[in-house]
Amino acid sequence: MLRDGAPTLVLTGAGVSAESGLATFRGSGGLWEGRDPMDIATPEAFTRDPVDVWRFYAWRRRQAAAARPNPGHVALAGLEAALPQFVLATQNVDGLHQRAGSRRVVELHGSLWTLRCTRDGRSSTDTSLDFPEFPPRCSCGAMLRPGVVWFGEMLPEEAMARAERAARTARVVIVAGTSSLVFPAAGLPAIARDGGAWIVEVNPEVTPLSPSASERLVGPSGTILPLLAAALGVASSPSCGTRRARSCGSTRAPARAATCSSGRWSISGFRCRS
Ligand code: BJW
């Protein structure tokens, strides 16, 4: 289907950035291990202690800035260049997809690199790593907040609408590096499945999506996604992550796919379950 240029939606989560050295949210070594996420990722927490919340996000910004896109990010940028109808919806806020060369990125949970005025709601891009004070202030004097989506907040309307549209029209959905626990993002594959799409999950662990996935590619996305791209003739060398990826993402390479027992392809070396 991918070789035929079928409309494709990719949904990514924190696991895709794990091999760039960024911690995931849940599981062992998770970002909030030992600390309840609800302590930090809620508007209530920000109201209660904006300085604490801001110190956490300032640390996240420094981590993300120091990280490099990994071969999984680069492979997805290559797929975008190769597929005419391709949408990448990410729950990640780190900006690594864009730094790998992806252009059609829908940021469902906002961005670490956007700040929002708590008075008038206006957003601006800001990449600074040091703030003169916590919380940082807007020019109007009001507090700025991180431009991310916290629990209990609505997702950006346009981003969600684009992702839902892509889910309704997709024939292939690749769900990579997400625990599929957080809604409404976790509901996108079901929308696509109801429309008859083929759902491929890329994850070393079982998730709530696993039983209903059409195919499971069990392993790290930094290995599997480049093989998937290579199977389509799109190379994504690990070194691409440190360069502008659009040029290297579009290089042709020999395919390395084998046929799976389910009648579809699988990637040699990885388990394929349907
Ligand atoms: C690898 C790997 C490798 C590791 N390769 N893989 C329906 C039912 C129940 C509840 C709700 C519902 N609808 C809405 C809700 C409430 C809530 C929700 O979903 N709660 C659940 C916890 C149950 N949702 C919301 O509040 C959302 N808002 C909303 O719906 O508004 C309307 C509404 C409000 C209230 C009630 C009803 C409706 C907003 C959600 C915002 C999420 N925000 C966060 C923080 C963003 C800012 C920040 O980054 O700080 O987003 S929480 C956090 O979780 C972050 C992530 O984007 C998100 C998802 O996590 P993700 O990416 O899946 O990471 P992990 O760590 O969970 O998983 C990593 C995975 O990678 C694992 O599976 C590993 O195995 C794997 N992995 N290494 C591949 N190398």
Side-chain angles (χ1 to χ4, degrees):
M1 274 191 278
L2 284 176
R3 285 202 186 98
D4 295 341
T8 301
L9 168 66
V10 176
L11 173 64
T12 63
V16 164
S17 295
E19 290 155 271
S20 294
L22 300 183
T24 59
F25 291 89
R26 297 168 186 86
S28 80
L31 187 60
W32 286 321
E33 198 178 35
R35 200 160 173 202
D36 185 346
M38 302 305 272
D39 277 352
I40 315 178
T42 65
E44 292 77 22
F46 187 67
T47 304
R48 197 169 53 237
D49 193 344
V51 173
D52 183 49
V53 172
W54 255 114
R55 286 196 192 289
F56 172 68
Y57 280 97
W59 172 76
R60 297 270 304 282
R61 285 161 67 100
R62 287 193 299 273
Q63 296 278 308
R68 295 265 176 274
N70 67 55
H73 295 109
V74 175
L76 291 175
L79 286 181
E80 177 185 306
L83 296 171
Q85 296 180 73
F86 180 95
V87 172
L88 170 53
T90 186
Q91 299 168 84
N92 297 346
V93 296
D94 54 35
L96 287 180
H97 284 304
Q98 291 89 335
R99 283 171 57 197
S102 289
R103 292 294 171 263
R104 272 170 269 160
V105 183
V106 178
E107 293 185 315
L108 294 169
H109 292 166
S111 169
L112 282 175
W113 308 111
T114 301
L115 305 184
R116 198 156 76 236
C117 176
T118 53
R119 182 174 291 152
D120 63 18
R122 247 183 265 177
S123 292
S124 56
T125 301
D126 183 303
T127 55
S128 53
L129 296 180
D130 287 312
F131 293 103
E133 59 172 335
F134 285 122
R137 299 269 163 190
C138 178
S139 54
C140 76
M143 273 193 296
L144 288 166
R145 58 158 282 177
V148 299
V149 182
W150 287 322
F151 285 121
E153 293 185 317
M154 301 299 286
L155 274 63
E157 211 172 301
E158 196 191 323
M160 197 55 209
R162 276 181 71 193
E164 279 176 350
R165 227 174 11 250
R168 277 194 296 274
T169 53
R171 285 184 54 216
V172 179
V173 180
I174 300 169
V175 185
T178 175
S179 56
S180 290
L181 287 169
V182 176
F183 285 83
L188 291 168
I191 295 174
R193 199 182 47 236
D194 290 348
W198 187 258
I199 314 291
V200 183
E201 182 178 51
V202 179
N203 200 311
E205 308 290 339
V206 173
T207 75
L209 175 71
S210 304
S212 59
S214 318
E215 204 94 59
R216 287 182 59 219
L217 299 174
V218 182
S221 52
T223 306
I224 290 185
L225 292 174
L227 291 175
L228 175 54
L232 295 172
V234 177
S236 47
S237 119
S239 62
C240 290
T242 56
R243 294 190 260 121
R244 277 184 60 80
R246 183 159 285 282
S247 52
C248 54
S250 61
T251 312
R252 310 295 285 183
R256 280 199 280 165
T259 304
C260 177
S261 54
S262 64
R264 306 283 168 174
W265 55 265
S266 72
I267 298 169
S268 44
F270 291 90
R271 277 170 287 163
C272 166
R273 296 177 189 163
S274 50

